[in-house]
Amino acid sequence: MRFVHDTLPQRVRFASGSAREELAAEVAALGARRVMVIAGTSERESADRVTAGLPVAHRHDDVVMHVPVEVAGRARAAAAEHDVDALVSVGGGSTTGLAKAVALTTGLPIVAVPTTYAGSEATAVWGLTENSVKTTGTDARVLPRAVVYDASLTFSLPAGLSVASGLNALAHCVDSMWAPRTDPIDQALAAEGVRALRTGLPLVVKDPAGLEGREQTLYGAYLSAVAFASAGSGLHHKVCHVLGGMFNLPHAQTHAVVLPHVLAFNAPFAPDAERRLAAAFDAPTAVEGLAGLRERLDAPRSLRELGMPREGVAAAAEAVAAAAPPDNPRPVTPDAITELVRNAWEGR
């Protein structure tokens, strides 16, 4: 056994019902005096509640999916105009992503308060979209200094969106099993993430107001993001980034649709990873485990229902084939990826 593993420097506070107190402690630790709170309009109530008492200099609600460059530019300008010294993001992946876009050019520290299972808060990965192309990169400046996890803040996320967001987290786990920089630590974190997510998500669907399912799912989402941050972006994420940028598809739902197709594509060529995933799903095979979970969750099934045009299949496949990791377990050919994207579009 021989590998190199990087652990990202970040403090995590996991305390249901205590986001306000935990966030205040983190902002105080930074010594921040002029905070910019980033939260979309749908998260305004939660954001106002958890940031009450903080030295807020500006509240910014111009949040857009996939972080278009012009949206990032406006947020950066607002941070400069109000002379802020720290960023607090309250929301899902788009909100965290916008805070990262500001931090990327300013170096301002972020304290993230997630309200979904996106996982962006635990990675140093940023993403920006321009002219229908989503570009991603890694930079230590965008990693939040701290994350405050409060499962009660996810109660506002309806069961259907919870399923899509949770399957997005599950995709982080699966991709981490064979991503370019994966190692035994990443795989152990990812396997535990799968176990937590396949336990928590059905509980969220059964009882959306129950705390146990929300906590298990949030815990699994964090583990998935930590594994992904270290292992890097595998084929699944290359597919979804192309589709999201090219067709402006909803992020979490796209991941939920694409995941079973990439798993079926790669699993036969990565038997050790497949066995670990099957055990984490408590199923005979990883593919059967994911299929059974998706059936219980009534997960999104096709890219067509998300608004992707049929004529976009060929262009998407070409872009994915060009971006695919060279060490993917299965060789990535244009024909094979075209079939994968077509099947995902049709929901087969």
Side-chain angles (χ1 to χ4, degrees):
M1 185 180 293
R2 186 171 183 174
F3 60 90
V4 175
H5 178 83
D6 285 323
T7 299
L8 299 181
Q10 182 182 74
R11 181 163 47 246
V12 171
R13 293 175 179 260
F14 201 107
S16 297
S18 300
R20 179 178 171 180
E21 296 80 4
E22 302 294 340
L23 176 59
E26 286 302 326
V27 171
L30 289 175
R33 297 181 181 275
R34 297 185 59 81
V35 174
M36 177 171 168
V37 176
I38 300 176
T41 54
S42 63
E43 300 292 348
R44 181 175 298 162
E45 183 179 345
S46 295
D48 287 348
R49 187 169 66 251
V50 302
T51 61
L54 296 184
V56 177
H58 176 60
R59 295 183 182 273
H60 193 83
D61 63 4
D62 183 13
V63 177
V64 180
M65 183 174 63
H66 301 305
V67 196
V69 292
E70 60 273 17
V71 173
R74 291 195 291 268
R76 291 163 176 166
E81 178 185 351
H82 294 278
D83 192 26
V84 303
D85 56 5
L87 306 170
V88 169
S89 64
V90 183
S94 298
T95 304
T96 308
L98 183 57
K100 287 180 169 184
V102 176
L104 182 64
T105 57
T106 65
L108 288 169
I110 303 170
V111 180
V113 185
T115 61
T116 72
Y117 310 117
S120 176
E121 68 280 354
T123 79
V125 178
W126 57 266
L128 292 167
T129 301
E130 184 174 18
N131 297 325
S132 298
V133 176
K134 186 169 185 177
T135 301
T136 62
T138 303
D139 194 299
R141 290 174 295 180
V142 309
L143 177 72
R145 300 284 183 87
V147 184
V148 175
Y149 285 112
D150 180 344
S152 69
L153 296 180
T154 68
F155 286 147
S156 62
L157 195 65
L161 287 178
S162 296
V163 166
S165 186
L167 289 174
N168 178 18
L170 194 64
H172 290 141
C173 295
V174 172
D175 234 11
S176 295
M177 285 293 184
W178 43 58
R181 300 189 305 273
T182 192
D183 60 46
I185 297 174
D186 298 329
Q187 292 168 350
L189 291 168
E192 172 62 3
V194 171
R195 186 210 60 76
L197 289 162
R198 61 97 172 161
T199 301
L201 281 171
L203 292 175
V204 171
V205 171
K206 182 179 179 180
D207 181 15
L211 189 60
E212 181 184 358
R214 298 283 182 173
E215 286 188 330
Q216 281 292 309
T217 304
L218 196 58
Y219 165 65
Y222 168 68
L223 292 177
S224 76
V226 173
F228 176 71
S230 174
S233 183
L235 177 63
H236 171 89
H237 281 77
K238 299 302 184 184
V239 174
C240 292
H241 287 162
V242 166
L243 295 174
M246 192 173 285
F247 306 109
N248 197 35
L249 302 182
H251 182 81
Q253 291 88 335
T254 301
H255 281 270
V257 168
V258 170
L259 178 57
H261 299 278
V262 176
L263 178 59
F265 183 86
N266 271 345
F269 294 79
D272 290 341
E274 194 283 330
R275 282 192 291 271
R276 296 192 71 167
L277 286 170
F281 278 117
D282 192 23
T285 68
V287 169
E288 290 176 84
L290 177 58
L293 177 63
R294 286 173 50 83
E295 192 67 31
R296 295 173 67 190
L297 301 177
D298 191 23
R301 297 188 179 277
S302 73
L303 296 173
R304 172 170 49 187
E305 69 190 53
L306 301 183
M308 177 181 166
R310 183 186 186 94
E311 58 271 20
V313 170
E318 181 180 358
V320 170
D327 55 355
N328 188 67
R330 176 177 175 178
V332 177
T333 65
D335 287 346
I337 290 299
T338 299
E339 181 181 11
L340 186 155
V341 175
R342 185 184 298 116
N343 287 341
W345 185 85
E346 295 177 355
R348 285 197 288 162

